[in-house]
Amino acid sequence: MKASLTLLGILPALAYSSQWPFHRPHRPVGDPIEPVRVGHQQVQQDQQNQQAQQQSSILRPYTTAWVDKLQLVYNTFGEIRNDSSCPTEIQDWNCTPYPLSEKDLARPKDVWHLRPHDIKAIVSIGDSISAGFAMVSERPPFATVFEFRGKVFSGGGDDGEYTITNFLRTYSKHVTGSPSGVTLPLAHGKRLNTAVSGAIAQTISSQIERLRWQFSLVGPYRRYKKEWKLATVFIGANNLCAACADNGVGGPEIAEPAEYAAALKSALLELRDSIGPVFVNLVGIFDVTLVYELSRGYPYCEMLFDKVPIPICGCATANEEDRKKAGDLSREYNTLMEKIADELNEESKDEGTFGVAFQPGLTEFKNGSSGFGQGYMSGLDCFHPNKCANQLMAISLWNNMFSSRGNKEVPMNPSAVQIFCPGPTDYLQ
């Protein structure tokens, strides 16, 4: 299904929320990262908001007849979607299940002894990239503005797609939580993919609050509260883009590394205390200004990045100083993410039910991958990863999930990505 679209129609899905100003004193990056703390009054307000959400349709916005019919049309006429071939050949998935003994089927002793068959639910947290915005789209006016959650690298559930969920299903048929099909832009998630287009680190606590309800005694996933889960957190692109925005509420202050780190750590602590046993992939952020380089030589993309009054990303412009600022920030974010993972693992080691692995596979690309042009970018906005990119992202993350800290694959080389097939002695790490 193809939908006409004006350029202004896509901008709201790319903009970050301006309703979350965080005014905390700046702290040196080298100090221990302190999570955001809230008082009792704020907790009560949050609980009231949660109850109000549960009583409205916002927690389950996919039950309306109109959206159901929209998705039915999408699935019925899927052959017109732009699933064109990728710039590089994607290796066939040829992994097979490994034999399981009675000992293998016993519950793992802690989070660092998990294997693929131990995972029972998949969670995705993040922004429009994790929501799959415009992943399969041609140029306007033949653009699709859906969020293709069923194809998202971290947890899509569409049959036959290269996603972490489908990889895991080789080893366990009982993996739940992954959405299929599509949602509308700015949706509040689907199943256990709670990503919201436009999200920043300072707003993902609302996604975790949704997860808390889903795994609560009245939630649809209550029976999985005590089961092992795999959660992928990929957040920061909108924070980076805000670094070059005008001053004001929701401006450059949300891009400050200390602000980003404090909000992210606070959210991960909430996750630890909300959904039961979980292994977290904390995915490193790429330099968002790479999309500017990839737009060169494509008139439509150059128009979006050079001539539109409100740029898709404030730092992905012709201003070299702005691009350098975002590049420096992305590296700083990744350093902080690795530090947060270490801190949380140390703080949580006694429980053994919560672990965070910093996954750096998407932080760098060999030679900038500039030779592939728009081959891995959305046809709608030249910014979001397309389906081909999501396939590579899934393979990269999968491989690194079974690689030790010093052996994780970075930079990614799209021309040489090979799928790793884990055996019974390969643990998530």
Side-chain angles (χ1 to χ4, degrees):
M1 177 178 179
K2 299 177 182 178
S4 295
L5 171 77
T6 63
L7 180 61
L8 290 178
I10 71 170
L11 293 178
L14 302 173
Y16 50 81
S17 170
S18 62
Q19 304 303 312
W20 296 81
F22 285 75
H23 299 293
R24 298 185 301 278
H26 294 292
R27 58 188 65 78
V29 172
D31 289 351
I33 297 167
E34 293 295 331
V36 180
R37 302 293 182 187
V38 294
H40 178 69
Q41 193 172 30
Q42 181 63 47
V43 171
Q44 285 185 319
Q45 182 63 49
D46 289 344
Q47 290 173 341
Q48 291 172 1
N49 291 341
Q50 180 187 4
Q51 291 172 354
Q53 281 184 319
Q54 292 173 10
Q55 294 168 0
S56 71
S57 63
I58 198 168
L59 278 177
R60 287 182 281 185
Y62 309 98
T63 57
T64 65
W66 187 80
V67 173
D68 284 346
K69 288 198 176 293
L70 185 66
Q71 184 162 304
L72 178 62
V73 171
Y74 165 80
N75 290 330
T76 301
F77 297 99
E79 70 275 5
I80 67 172
R81 297 181 306 233
N82 178 18
D83 284 353
S84 56
S85 60
C86 300
T88 57
E89 185 176 353
I90 305 295
Q91 180 186 349
D92 290 339
W93 175 262
N94 55 14
C95 296
T96 56
Y98 45 73
L100 293 173
S101 66
E102 187 173 336
K103 182 179 179 181
D104 290 327
L105 294 174
R107 188 174 179 84
K109 64 179 182 179
D110 61 39
V111 70
W112 302 111
H113 287 83
L114 293 174
R115 290 170 291 180
H117 67 272
D118 296 313
I119 301 300
K120 305 304 179 187
I122 305 293
V123 173
S124 296
I125 297 169
D127 53 29
S128 53
I129 296 176
S130 296
F133 178 74
M135 185 193 301
V136 181
S137 179
E138 297 181 21
R139 299 279 192 240
F142 304 108
T144 47
V145 291
F146 295 129
E147 295 169 335
F148 293 84
R149 293 182 190 258
K151 303 180 188 303
V152 170
F153 76 101
S154 58
D158 283 356
D159 290 341
E161 299 294 352
Y162 277 41
T163 69
I164 295 297
T165 299
N166 287 336
F167 295 168
L168 285 171
R169 283 175 176 158
T170 295
Y171 307 92
S172 174
K173 303 302 180 186
H174 306 291
V175 181
T176 192
S178 295
S180 59
V182 299
T183 56
L184 298 178
L186 300 177
H188 285 244
K190 188 174 187 182
R191 303 200 74 183
L192 295 180
N193 179 327
T194 58
V196 178
S197 292
I200 55 177
Q202 289 87 338
T203 65
I204 59 171
S205 59
S206 63
Q207 298 181 33
I208 294 166
E209 192 61 34
R210 172 179 163 83
L211 290 169
R212 183 196 300 273
W213 175 80
Q214 289 182 301
F215 286 102
S216 71
L217 291 176
V218 296
Y221 294 94
R222 55 188 176 276
R223 61 173 290 203
Y224 293 95
K225 177 70 178 284
K226 295 182 180 180
E227 300 287 356
W228 282 105
K229 304 156 203 73
L230 175 68
T232 298
V233 180
F234 189 28
I235 192 73
N238 291 315
N239 291 81
L240 288 175
C241 288
C244 307
D246 294 333
N247 289 321
V249 174
E253 66 271 12
I254 66 172
E256 287 293 330
E259 301 288 313
Y260 169 84
L264 179 59
K265 184 172 183 180
S266 176
L268 290 172
L269 284 169
E270 288 181 57
L271 186 67
R272 182 189 67 182
D273 299 335
S274 299
I275 68 171
V278 58
F279 180 97
V280 180
N281 284 319
L282 185 57
V283 180
I285 195 70
F286 56 91
D287 180 354
V288 294
T289 64
L290 284 175
V291 298
Y292 177 83
E293 299 174 16
L294 297 176
S295 72
R296 301 302 90 185
Y298 296 85
Y300 171 75
C301 300
E302 290 180 350
M303 177 195 71
L304 294 181
F305 288 99
D306 298 342
K307 301 187 184 334
V308 175
I310 306 175
I312 289 177
C313 175
C315 293
T317 67
N319 188 315
E320 187 174 347
E321 184 177 337
D322 284 347
R323 298 203 306 275
K324 183 179 184 304
K325 178 192 296 184
D328 292 342
L329 277 175
S330 67
R331 287 183 284 276
E332 200 164 352
Y333 282 13
N334 289 326
T335 298
L336 288 168
M337 275 190 259
E338 193 164 15
K339 181 179 179 181
I340 288 171
D342 289 341
E343 291 178 358
L344 289 177
N345 290 333
E346 179 63 26
E347 294 169 16
S348 308
K349 64 181 180 181
D350 292 339
E351 291 82 0
T353 57
F354 181 80
V356 183
F358 174 67
Q359 306 291 9
L362 306 184
T363 61
E364 297 179 40
F365 302 91
K366 189 173 179 62
N367 300 324
S369 298
S370 56
F372 302 114
Q374 286 294 300
Y376 290 110
M377 309 308 296
S378 167
L380 172 64
D381 59 19
C382 312
F383 182 88
H384 286 84
N386 65 12
K387 176 180 168 178
C388 293
N390 271 264
Q391 292 175 331
L392 290 178
M393 292 159 71
I395 297 171
S396 173
L397 179 57
W398 174 261
N399 290 348
N400 281 341
M401 282 166 50
F402 300 99
S403 301
S404 62
R405 184 168 182 167
N407 292 313
K408 294 185 183 293
E409 297 176 0
V410 62
M412 181 203 289
N413 183 353
S415 300
V417 173
Q418 298 293 314
I419 297 171
F420 174 75
C421 295
T425 59
D426 291 307
Y427 298 100
L428 272 61
Q429 52 186 312

